Amino acid sequence: MRTLLVGLDAACLPVLEPLFETDAVPNLEAIFDEGVSGPLRSQVPPWTASAWPSLYTGKNPGKHGVFDFLSFDGYDWDVVNNSDIKARTIWDYLDENGLTSVIVNAPVTDPPREISGAIIPGYLAPNEPKCQPEGILEDIRESVGEYRVYAERETDDRVDEEAKFEEYVRLTHLRGETFRYLTDRFDPDFGFVQFQKTDAVFHDFPGEMDKVRAVYEAVDEEIGAILEQFDPEVVVVASDHGMGEYDGYEVRVNEILKQEDLVETTTDGRGVPSWFQLKDEELVGGENDSSSDSKSLERLAALAAKGGLTYQRGKAILDKLGLAEFVGKHVPIGAVFAASESVSFETSKAYLRSGSELGVRLNVEGREPNGVVPEGEYESVRDEVIEILTALTDPEGRPVFDEVVPRTAYIDGPFAEEAVDVLCIPREFENSLSVHVGDVFSTPEPWNHKLDGVIAVAGKGVDSDANISEAHLFDVAPTVLSTFSVAPDTAMDGETLSAVNPVDPKSYPEFEISERSKTEDEEVAQRLEDLGYLE
């Protein structure tokens, strides 16, 4: 193997350095010590589904087409998949240059495009992903073990917290074992293995640093086995973003825009985001009862909502009376949906459609199916949104956002129009955004994404004295290609890091975009809910 890329989701120096100090991850530490390393600035937004494609294409989301976990078509959505990525990946460039690759667990790679080598999709794929070549998943299960993309869900009664965590560790080892099996079988020039549980452990077990250490120890053991067995000439370790504690607030942007007459809400059920309807009864409360009593209660709840008693207001009253938990366990889920006040996308001027998009979309005539903002008023409405959110302060009087800017500040390219119109960068990434209406400020998830990830490059021909302190997520793809003396694409937003001998970029033929395929697996959306990415 000439170059190995190890992907560590959410890895960053504040997480890794305590592990280095206690010798918990000697193989990773050796790569960092022997090569060159530093923080890796992520993109905006720094979330898995968009950031990994940016890392392995070298392009910002406006050039590859994935901005979030969701792909929108008007007001409808689907979970993103590989057909949404409209740009060449590292392994596409290598394949076109006669080089082979083995890719294991890379996010947003289902269904995979055909290359010389093997691809086992990762995050956002179904648990039974389409793999390349066809039939390889069955071979893996016969030779390595029962391969799964995901652990058992937290809401599954059969799995307690400790058993779930044990499966996290088991799946981490399975990634490495699968990668070694495929590398031994295909003898690739390039290898890419990604470990996702280094991120999920913070979401599912916030603050439990013993579990973080255990996941990283499993990762390190697998890295050591890969290095010993295949001895790659160059090793690149990179993450899509960082991870840290959130000390601010969950900010309900749609409530703010509602108060400014930019968001319209509805209680007729049609404005409820579809992902909210997918909530499990265990996450929301009562049983999913289809009985006549349940239907009657739904109709009653809907009438109450039209009279002003929405789910949000009702819950506040029940909280004060100490009855919220009891009602939550006994009120059917359909009644909750029926009484939920939510954004009406069709009649609003502007709205937050997904918290992890980090921005506001305008409902523009001629662009959205039922646009209400005339094209000639686009800039004035956009600037109004920017002014409102720039001035927003939290209960302590601190600015909520470091920046509120047009998307052009961070996103450009042929697919940029699919992005939000206004990007909202939380103050030091201490605040998170929510699509809900109700109280403007709430408690955020305790651990979430930060802007600085990490990168390390070591091996043959690597200048360990190079300064890569300004490394960016977009630089990873051109750097990997340069280790093969393959020219990076002039359309890439990144450059070859100075630690590696650069190859002059060149222009490539236009990428052939395939027809979009639908993500058929509802379970993928449910797993996003489990991790708090869908509300």
Side-chain angles (χ1 to χ4, degrees):
M1 189 186 301
R2 289 170 60 179
T3 300
L4 168 68
L5 173 60
V6 177
L8 303 179
D9 205 289
C12 56
L13 290 173
V15 170
L16 287 173
E17 285 174 345
L19 299 174
F20 291 162
E21 291 169 3
T22 56
D23 297 321
V25 286
N27 297 299
L28 267 174
E29 187 175 4
I31 295 168
F32 277 70
D33 286 346
E34 295 167 11
V36 59
S37 63
L40 183 70
R41 177 54 57 107
S42 190
Q43 64 166 34
V44 173
W47 260 261
T48 297
S50 180
W52 279 111
S54 294
L55 181 148
Y56 57 65
T57 64
K59 298 178 178 181
N60 84 83
K63 293 180 180 178
H64 63 65
V66 174
F67 305 92
D68 187 41
F69 298 96
L70 305 179
S71 172
F72 288 91
D73 180 9
Y75 310 118
D76 296 325
W77 66 274
D78 190 16
V79 175
V80 295
N81 61 54
N82 191 44
S83 68
D84 291 299
I85 298 177
K86 308 176 187 74
R88 289 175 176 83
T89 63
I90 293 171
W91 47 97
D92 288 326
Y93 288 105
L94 295 177
D95 188 66
E96 292 177 14
N97 282 272
L99 297 165
T100 59
S101 301
V102 162
I103 313 299
V104 172
N105 207 48
V108 203
T109 53
D110 177 82
R113 296 191 284 268
E114 187 175 343
I115 62 165
S116 179
I119 301 177
I120 312 300
Y123 195 55
L124 299 185
N127 240 340
E128 296 286 333
K130 296 180 177 69
C131 298
Q132 198 273 317
E134 190 174 344
I136 193 66
L137 185 59
E138 289 73 18
D139 293 349
I140 290 168
R141 286 173 171 169
E142 287 180 9
S143 302
V144 178
E146 184 56 32
Y147 192 90
R148 296 172 56 87
V149 177
Y150 307 102
E152 292 286 350
R153 295 181 58 221
E154 182 178 354
T155 52
D156 192 326
D157 286 335
R158 298 170 300 169
V159 181
D160 62 26
E161 292 291 286
E162 207 53 46
K164 179 183 177 182
F165 177 72
E166 288 173 6
E167 191 177 5
Y168 268 30
V169 174
R170 186 186 72 82
L171 290 180
T172 299
H173 285 298
L174 197 56
R175 305 293 178 245
E177 292 165 5
T178 299
F179 182 80
R180 295 200 304 278
Y181 166 76
L182 293 173
T183 298
D184 187 56
R185 176 167 167 173
F186 288 92
D187 190 24
D189 301 293
F190 171 63
F192 176 21
V193 57
Q194 193 264 15
F195 296 96
Q196 187 70 29
K197 296 310 178 190
T198 50
D199 174 283
V201 67
F202 285 98
H203 292 295
D204 276 348
F205 305 98
E208 297 188 43
M209 301 312 290
D210 58 327
K211 287 183 169 60
V212 172
R213 179 186 175 107
V215 167
Y216 268 96
E217 286 175 340
V219 168
D220 193 71
E221 185 178 331
E222 293 306 320
I223 291 173
I226 292 168
L227 296 178
E228 181 178 356
Q229 188 169 349
F230 302 108
D231 192 24
E233 293 180 10
V234 176
V235 180
V236 179
V237 176
S239 65
D240 55 339
H241 54 73
M243 179 63 71
E245 292 186 81
Y246 270 40
D247 294 327
Y249 293 89
E250 177 188 272
V251 185
R252 292 172 178 170
V253 172
N254 284 328
E255 177 64 29
I256 298 157
L257 298 180
K258 178 189 173 188
Q259 293 172 9
E260 299 291 341
D261 297 323
L262 291 167
V263 156
E264 299 289 334
T265 58
T266 179
T267 56
D268 62 11
R270 288 179 300 184
V272 177
S274 298
W275 56 88
F276 186 65
Q277 291 175 331
L278 284 172
K279 285 284 192 183
D280 292 312
E281 61 259 26
E282 292 175 73
L283 294 178
V284 177
E287 296 177 359
N288 197 348
D289 187 355
S290 59
S291 67
S292 59
D293 288 345
S294 170
K295 296 299 181 185
S296 298
L297 185 53
E298 287 179 35
R299 287 193 293 271
L300 179 63
L303 287 172
K306 291 182 186 298
L309 183 59
T310 63
Y311 166 71
Q312 287 85 350
R313 292 172 187 154
K315 184 175 184 302
I317 294 170
L318 292 170
D319 280 335
K320 289 181 180 179
L321 297 174
L323 296 173
E325 184 177 353
F326 173 81
V327 173
K329 288 180 178 178
H330 293 85
V331 175
I333 188 171
V336 176
F337 297 144
S340 291
E341 182 182 9
S342 58
V343 176
S344 171
F345 296 131
E346 292 89 344
T347 59
S348 296
K349 290 184 178 179
Y351 48 80
L352 178 79
R353 58 188 182 182
S354 170
S356 47
E357 273 194 303
L358 290 189
V360 173
R361 177 81 172 180
L362 269 57
N363 192 18
V364 182
E365 282 184 2
R367 188 182 71 178
E368 270 64 42
N370 301 100
V372 298
V373 176
E375 199 172 334
E377 297 178 18
Y378 174 85
E379 289 192 8
S380 63
V381 176
R382 184 194 65 186
D383 292 346
E384 181 183 359
V385 171
I386 291 173
E387 182 178 355
I388 291 166
L389 297 181
T390 297
L392 183 65
T393 57
D394 67 15
E396 284 75 42
R398 302 169 297 184
V400 168
F401 300 107
D402 281 336
E403 287 184 283
V404 183
V405 293
R407 65 161 173 252
T408 51
Y410 288 94
I411 295 172
D412 68 274
F415 313 109
E417 277 252 327
E418 299 171 19
V420 295
D421 296 287
V422 175
L423 282 165
C424 310
I425 318 302
R427 186 193 71 249
E428 298 181 2
F429 280 84
E430 297 286 349
N431 299 313
S432 60
L433 307 188
S434 169
V435 301
H436 291 318
V437 291
D439 294 338
V440 173
F441 296 105
S442 183
T443 304
E445 183 180 350
W447 288 75
N448 216 321
H449 299 184
K450 299 288 186 177
L451 201 53
D452 281 344
V454 73
I455 187 166
V457 188
K460 183 178 178 181
V462 174
D463 180 3
S464 58
D465 294 322
N467 181 357
I468 62 169
S469 59
E470 301 298 317
H472 194 281
L473 187 75
F474 304 148
D475 298 332
V476 175
T479 299
V480 169
L481 292 179
S482 287
T483 66
F484 289 96
S485 299
V486 170
D489 197 332
T490 52
M492 288 179 173
D493 293 295
E495 300 178 349
T496 300
L497 294 173
S498 59
V500 172
N501 290 327
V503 178
D504 290 337
K506 74 172 189 179
S507 179
Y508 282 79
E510 187 174 347
F511 181 72
E512 187 175 337
I513 299 173
S514 60
E515 184 178 350
R516 187 183 191 279
S517 60
K518 183 174 173 56
T519 301
E520 299 289 349
D521 196 336
E522 269 191 11
E523 192 176 1
V524 174
Q526 292 169 339
R527 292 179 188 284
L528 290 177
E529 293 168 27
D530 291 347
L531 291 176
Y533 291 139
L534 298 184
E535 300 182 78

